[in-house]
């Protein structure tokens, strides 16, 4: 039991799960789960108790039992004690101060990253202000490679997301053309297919490969289907670049997705065997989101933000090119309004980067949430300042297949111009060669005789 006194009142927290949950910023998912603090005073009392907790406690007390959960086993069995040594004597509160210290630089954070567990990252985030999360995340450097280099300081990549409700090749090609002419696509050209038909998925893979090869685009493609489908596509000889899968922070939640760690390892090895990367071998692409464990009744009484951080342990294990928190996608049952979405996005980015994961964010919301595009502008701006790895680029910020609101190609131009952020360097050079950007990184007007307009296949409308 943990306890502390605040305003002459004694607060008791039954165990570490209870303490962590009560210390979390208010959000609808934790209220739905019945684990949230009932008052602001109780929340502050929990944070005070959490700040005094030694970091090593998280190596001794498991939030989800070791015997019951392979994610817990992964976290404990892969913990690097040597990397942990420089911070092993700290409390959660001391850890916050250490992270914010000017003496703790990017190299220092990289050295201790493998010694930080997701629960430690989640715990310290709960006692940090938004500006703290931004400042520390800015210092974290996570660089990955496949056909280009993602995550360099002063750079921001964009996933070009050309979804179509019927998987129409001309419709997808039109969105791809739109995005490429706005300079988007250096993170990945990634399609969420409407169908699980293997022949259709195969056709999409060949289409993406054709476009990337034809125009020698230094980027990678991904069809975001279930990992078992991707394995079948690899067996059929399809040109698969990245393997996609949604992941969560408990074994039970992942079982609901139809996956486990062994399956992810099989998929990673299969993708590596293709040797399609030209610069690196980061072949995995993961997506996560606060609330996924709770929505599957697989949270074990753990608050949703800590469950989310635990998913990053899986990502870290498989060295992905990209990991993306789809922060507002699950809906207001888990993140009610713009304030909660903004906070969650900053938490996820901080925890992922601190753990050494290349964390991007789908800055998004569903139409029944108490949020709007101004909230997304705020979150995107804060994440851009925090060193976000990549963002989404969707025509008009409106995904017509998944039916949610995200960020657009124009939003990417905004944040690049505001903060002076560059493309992945290889992609930036390609944009200059294709006369899409000038040497100063400014967008050029595309004429009707531009090679992409004249030669992009599947574009019957032209």
């Amino acid at each position: 039991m943990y306890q502390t006194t605040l305003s002459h009142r004694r607060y008791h927290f039954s165990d570490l799960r209870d303490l962590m949950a009560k210390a979390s910023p208010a959000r609808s998912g934790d209220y739905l789960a019945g684990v949230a603090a009932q008052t602001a005073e109780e929340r502050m009392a929990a944070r005070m108790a959490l700040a005094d907790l030694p970091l090593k406690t998280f190596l001794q007390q498991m939030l989800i039992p070791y015997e019951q959960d392979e994610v817990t086993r992964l976290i404990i069995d892969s913990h690097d004690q040597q990397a942990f040594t420089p911070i092993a004597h700290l409390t959660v509160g001391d850890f916050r101060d250490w992270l914010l210290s000017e003496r703790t630089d990017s190299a220092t954070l990289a050295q201790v990253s493998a010694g930080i567990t997701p629960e430690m990252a989640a715990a310290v985030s709960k006692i940090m202000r938004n500006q703290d999360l931004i400042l520390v995340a800015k210092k974290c450097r996570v660089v990955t490679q496949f056909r280009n280099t993602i995550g360099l300081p002063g750079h921001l990549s964009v996933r070009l997301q050309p979804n179509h409700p019927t998987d129409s090749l001309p419709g997808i090609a039109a969105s791809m053309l739109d995005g490429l002419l706005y300079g988007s696509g250096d993170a990945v050209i990634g399609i969420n297919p409407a169908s699980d038909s293997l022949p259709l998925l195969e056709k999409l893979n060949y289409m993406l490969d054709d476009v990337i090869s034809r125009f020698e685009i230094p980027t990678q493609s991904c069809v975001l289907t279930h990992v078992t489908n991707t394995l079948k596509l690899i067996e059929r000889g399809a040109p698969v670049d990245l393997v996609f899968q949604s992941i969560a922070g408990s074994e039970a939640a992942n079982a609901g997705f139809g996956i486990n760690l062994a399956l992810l390892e099989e998929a990673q090895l299969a993708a590596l065997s293709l040797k399609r990367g030209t610069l690196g071998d980061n072949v995995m692409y993961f997506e996560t989101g606060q609330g996924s464990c709770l929505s599957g009744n697989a949270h074990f009484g753990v608050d949703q933000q800590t469950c989310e951080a635990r998913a990053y342990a899986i990502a870290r294990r498989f060295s992905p090119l990209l990991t993306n928190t789809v922060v507002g996608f699950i809906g207001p049952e888990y993140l009610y309004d713009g304030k909660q979405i903004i906070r969650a996005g900053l938490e996820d980015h901080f925890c992922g980067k601190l753990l050494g994961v290349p964390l991007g964010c789908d800055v998004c919301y569903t139409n029944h949430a108490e949020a709007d595009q101004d909230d997304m502008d705020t979150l995107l701006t804060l994440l851009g300042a925090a060193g976000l790895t990549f963002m989404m680029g969707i025509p008009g910020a409106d995904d017509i297949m998944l039916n949610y609101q995200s960020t657009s190609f124009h939003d990417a131009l905004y944040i690049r111009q505001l903060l002076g952020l560059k493309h992945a360097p290889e992609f930036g050079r390609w944009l200059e060669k294709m006369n899409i950007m000038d040497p100063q990184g400014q967008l050029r007007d595309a004429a009707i005789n531009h090679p992409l307009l004249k030669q992009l296949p599947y574009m019957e409308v032209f």
Side-chain angles (χ1 to χ4, degrees):
M1 176 181 289
Y2 300 91
Q3 54 188 9
T4 191
T5 301
L6 184 63
S7 299
H8 307 291
R9 179 176 176 181
R10 196 73 168 169
Y11 285 91
H12 301 272
F13 307 98
S14 59
D15 56 21
L16 188 53
R17 285 182 300 185
D18 186 41
L19 179 64
M20 290 277 281
K22 295 294 196 301
S24 292
R27 61 202 54 189
S28 52
D30 289 337
Y31 286 116
L32 180 66
V35 301
Q38 295 304 301
T39 65
E41 186 173 284
E42 184 184 24
R43 184 172 298 111
M44 183 55 66
R47 289 175 179 173
M48 291 172 63
L50 184 61
D52 290 335
L53 192 72
L55 284 180
K56 62 184 64 174
T57 304
F58 294 102
L59 299 174
Q60 301 160 352
Q61 299 181 35
M62 308 297 105
L63 299 184
I64 301 177
Y66 182 94
E67 299 77 14
Q68 298 177 20
D69 188 88
E70 69 173 0
V71 180
T72 299
R73 293 193 291 274
L74 172 66
I75 292 168
I76 297 302
D77 295 348
S78 64
H79 181 253
D80 188 330
Q81 186 62 45
Q82 183 175 353
F84 181 59
T85 298
I87 58 174
H89 62 290
L90 300 178
T91 65
V92 173
D94 295 332
F95 187 38
R96 172 189 175 273
D97 294 341
W98 182 85
L99 289 170
L100 290 168
S101 170
E102 293 181 1
R103 293 187 296 274
T104 303
D105 57 14
S106 299
T108 304
L109 289 171
Q111 290 169 1
V112 302
S113 178
I116 302 170
T117 69
E119 291 85 354
M120 293 175 193
V124 74
S125 76
K126 296 178 192 300
I127 63 169
M128 298 174 81
R129 294 170 56 185
N130 286 0
Q131 66 174 242
D132 300 339
L133 299 174
I134 294 167
L135 185 60
V136 176
K138 179 74 170 181
K139 294 193 287 185
C140 296
R141 300 280 184 261
V142 185
V143 178
T144 57
Q145 292 183 311
F146 189 76
R147 292 199 188 98
N148 57 22
T149 306
I150 295 172
L152 293 170
H155 292 66
L156 173 67
S157 294
V158 179
R159 170 186 161 189
L160 203 173
Q161 185 169 311
N163 295 345
H164 193 278
T166 64
D167 292 327
S168 161
L169 295 190
I172 290 170
S175 293
M176 287 173 58
L177 173 65
D178 192 17
L180 289 169
L181 291 176
Y182 276 109
S184 291
D186 50 342
V188 64
I189 302 176
I191 300 171
N192 297 93
S195 169
D196 280 332
S197 160
L198 277 179
L200 183 279
L201 297 174
E202 190 171 26
K203 187 181 296 185
L204 291 174
N205 269 282
Y206 275 105
M207 173 192 177
L208 292 173
D209 181 62
D210 183 20
V211 173
I212 289 172
S213 300
R214 182 183 299 246
F215 295 100
E216 299 180 328
I217 308 174
T219 190
Q220 38 282 326
S221 68
C222 186
V223 176
L224 283 70
T225 186
H226 193 271
V227 64
T228 53
N229 288 334
T230 306
L231 279 168
K232 292 174 184 175
L233 291 170
I234 293 174
E235 292 171 0
R236 292 164 69 118
V240 172
D241 287 346
L242 304 184
V243 175
F244 166 78
Q245 184 54 50
S246 294
I247 56 175
S250 75
E251 180 179 349
N254 287 320
F257 290 152
I259 64 165
N260 55 34
L261 298 181
L263 180 60
L264 294 178
E265 182 174 10
E266 179 186 355
Q268 182 188 37
L269 292 173
L272 287 170
S273 72
L274 301 179
K275 301 184 184 303
R276 292 179 56 81
T278 55
L279 295 182
D281 59 2
N282 299 115
V283 297
M284 305 298 282
Y285 176 18
F286 295 120
E287 287 192 346
T288 67
Q290 288 194 28
S292 56
C293 287
L294 176 57
S295 67
N297 195 28
H299 61 104
F300 297 89
V302 178
D303 67 272
Q304 67 180 37
Q305 188 254 334
T306 301
C307 285
E308 170 72 5
R310 284 169 54 91
Y312 303 151
I314 300 174
R316 179 164 64 177
R317 160 66 181 82
F318 292 103
S319 304
L321 181 76
L322 308 164
T323 301
N324 178 38
T325 170
V326 193
V327 68
F329 183 73
I330 301 183
E333 298 85 0
Y334 305 94
L335 296 170
Y336 178 72
D337 57 15
K339 180 180 177 66
Q340 292 187 12
I341 292 171
I342 290 167
R343 174 68 190 191
L346 295 176
E347 290 170 346
D348 295 350
H349 181 249
F350 162 83
C351 288
K353 296 290 275 296
L354 189 63
L355 293 167
V357 175
L359 223 292
C361 184
D362 190 343
V363 178
C364 64
Y365 65 102
T366 56
N367 288 311
H368 61 310
E370 290 295 322
D372 59 27
Q373 213 64 35
D374 285 338
D375 295 315
M376 301 306 104
D377 288 348
T378 299
L379 178 54
L380 176 60
T381 304
L382 295 175
L383 287 171
L388 183 68
T389 301
F390 72 104
M391 58 177 284
M392 301 296 111
I394 300 171
D398 183 6
D399 193 301
I400 59 174
M401 196 282 282
L402 292 173
N403 195 30
Y404 76 114
Q405 309 306 309
S406 184
T407 48
S408 70
F409 309 135
H410 302 80
D411 294 326
L413 294 176
Y414 149 73
I415 198 67
R416 290 192 197 281
Q417 182 177 353
L418 178 70
L419 300 176
L421 300 173
K422 301 177 182 178
H423 300 82
E426 302 83 359
F427 192 82
R429 291 192 289 270
W430 178 83
L431 291 173
E432 285 187 45
K433 184 181 77 171
M434 293 295 290
N435 206 32
I436 295 172
M437 293 281 185
D438 66 23
Q440 288 72 46
Q442 298 300 309
L443 190 70
R444 295 185 186 273
D445 291 332
I448 193 66
N449 61 351
H450 191 280
L452 283 173
L453 284 166
K454 292 178 64 177
Q455 302 173 34
L456 186 64
Y458 320 104
M459 291 292 290
E460 291 91 339
V461 292
F462 290 100

